[in-house]
Amino acid sequence: MGVRRIGTDGGLRKDVWEGVVAAIEDALPVYDKINQLISFGRAEEARQYAINQMGPADGLVVLDSGVGPGNNSRIILSRNSAKVLVGLDESAVQLENTKRNLKAQNHEFFHLVRGSFEFLPFRGEVFDWIITSYALRDTVNLSQTLGEYSRVSKSTGRFTVVDIGKPDNYVKRTGSLLYVRFVMPLIARLAMRNKIKPNPWRMIWPTYVHLPTNRQLARILGQWFGPLEVKEFLTGGVIILSGRKRV
Ligand SMILES: C[S@@+](CC[C@H](N)C(=O)[O-])C[C@H]1O[C@@H](n2cnc3c(N)ncnc32)[C@H](O)[C@@H]1O
């Protein structure tokens, strides 16, 4: 029987979560390069698509949740349009790194905040737009996290998730599971020439294995945000879900 990696609330078990966050920190020197490789370029394309879909963030208060190395924030800042942009992450290592990465785009309206998805350190109804990319599946409690995103969204607020997808179709799903379990870590290992040990990309599997299928995820998200716009890349291997807060 396999090891149980799921917590009781549709999220990762706490010890698995710690391993995942540590792996993402370890991956930092080659994070973008390898992610572009294993996603056939779609990881960045999906971020760009989601941000374009939102349109100009002029005058908006925006949260980039699970900011990591700052990929979404960099795009948003390059357009110089948000009123306030907050990058949130639980990892102090990621926040330090993002600060360095985005130093050149030193905008006074960009703030980095340490905090967790499950207990967002913000008062209610402050954000016009929340984007979270390749991070929602790392939560230790999915419904609590979505409840938090809804709480801190304005009544007109919009929420966008970009993440690895799990196709509903059995054949495609089997292909995706095999890819994430075996092929993805192998490509990563070869590309980084075994430099980082243990291989951080092996830790995508525990986050992927418990992920709901794309349709199930849309149904869960739809309880808080909707109607949802759904866009899939790589036949459902990457997904964007976006909708307004339900009031
Ligand atoms: C895979 S990275 C994604 C980074 C970036 N958004 C991107 O598009 O590449 C996930 C980020 O979420 C953070 N994270 C994971 N679980 C978290 C939680 N429960 N609360 C806050 N941050 C979390 C990790 O530290 C990491 O920086």
Side-chain angles (χ1 to χ4, degrees):
M1 204 167 102
V3 180
R4 200 172 65 87
R5 297 185 180 83
I6 312 171
T8 47
D9 305 294
L12 295 178
R13 232 176 44 198
K14 192 71 198 295
D15 58 328
V16 177
W17 175 82
E18 283 166 1
V20 168
V21 170
I24 305 169
E25 290 171 356
D26 291 343
L28 267 174
V30 286
Y31 178 88
D32 284 325
K33 183 180 148 212
I34 304 281
N35 282 341
Q36 280 298 89
L37 196 65
I38 59 176
S39 70
F40 308 101
R42 295 302 196 279
E44 179 64 8
E45 189 183 337
R47 288 188 198 98
Q48 296 265 6
Y49 182 96
I51 293 169
N52 288 341
Q53 184 190 41
M54 179 61 194
D58 290 333
L60 301 187
V61 180
V62 180
L63 173 64
D64 177 6
S65 190
V67 63
N71 309 60
N72 293 320
S73 291
R74 183 185 303 109
I75 304 169
I76 297 169
L77 285 172
S78 70
R79 298 177 183 181
N80 198 10
S81 56
K83 181 175 163 199
V84 177
L85 172 62
V86 179
L88 172 124
D89 210 289
E90 181 61 56
S91 159
V93 173
Q94 294 287 353
L95 293 173
E96 271 306 311
N97 181 66
T98 309
K99 205 162 143 189
R100 271 195 308 275
N101 282 352
L102 300 184
K103 214 159 114 201
Q105 290 164 303
N106 189 14
H107 298 278
E108 70 275 15
F109 57 81
F110 180 48
H111 307 279
L112 288 167
V113 172
R114 189 166 185 201
S116 76
F117 305 155
E118 298 80 6
F119 298 95
L120 291 173
F122 310 111
R123 53 189 173 79
E125 308 210 345
V126 281
F127 292 104
D128 294 292
W129 180 36
I130 299 173
I131 180 164
T132 183
S133 63
Y134 309 104
L136 184 66
R137 66 177 195 283
D138 296 346
T139 180
V140 297
N141 188 325
L142 183 59
S143 51
Q144 186 175 332
T145 291
L146 292 173
E148 280 293 87
Y149 287 139
S150 169
R151 180 183 68 77
V152 301
S153 288
K154 287 185 182 168
S155 57
T156 52
R158 206 170 169 81
F159 178 59
T160 302
V161 177
V162 180
D163 215 326
I164 302 178
K166 190 183 270 182
D168 290 275
N169 175 283
Y170 176 77
V171 177
K172 290 182 186 170
R173 187 166 67 248
T174 305
S176 287
L177 285 161
L178 291 173
Y179 181 72
V180 174
R181 180 78 178 94
F182 299 109
V183 184
M184 190 185 263
L186 179 66
I187 297 175
R189 183 159 67 83
L190 295 175
M192 65 187 175
R193 297 194 196 92
N194 249 341
K195 266 191 225 141
I196 305 173
K197 288 185 180 168
N199 179 352
W201 277 268
R202 287 180 61 200
M203 290 308 283
I204 292 186
W205 174 248
T207 69
Y208 190 69
V209 73
H210 82 279
L211 189 70
T213 66
N214 292 347
R215 215 176 295 143
Q216 288 166 344
L217 185 62
R219 215 172 299 132
I220 297 169
L221 237 81
Q223 294 170 36
W224 286 272
F225 301 92
L228 288 177
E229 288 168 41
V230 181
K231 167 84 180 164
E232 292 184 340
F233 294 84
L234 286 178
T235 64
V238 175
I239 188 167
I240 301 173
L241 298 156
S242 173
R244 285 207 184 277
K245 175 171 168 170
R246 287 193 190 280
V247 281

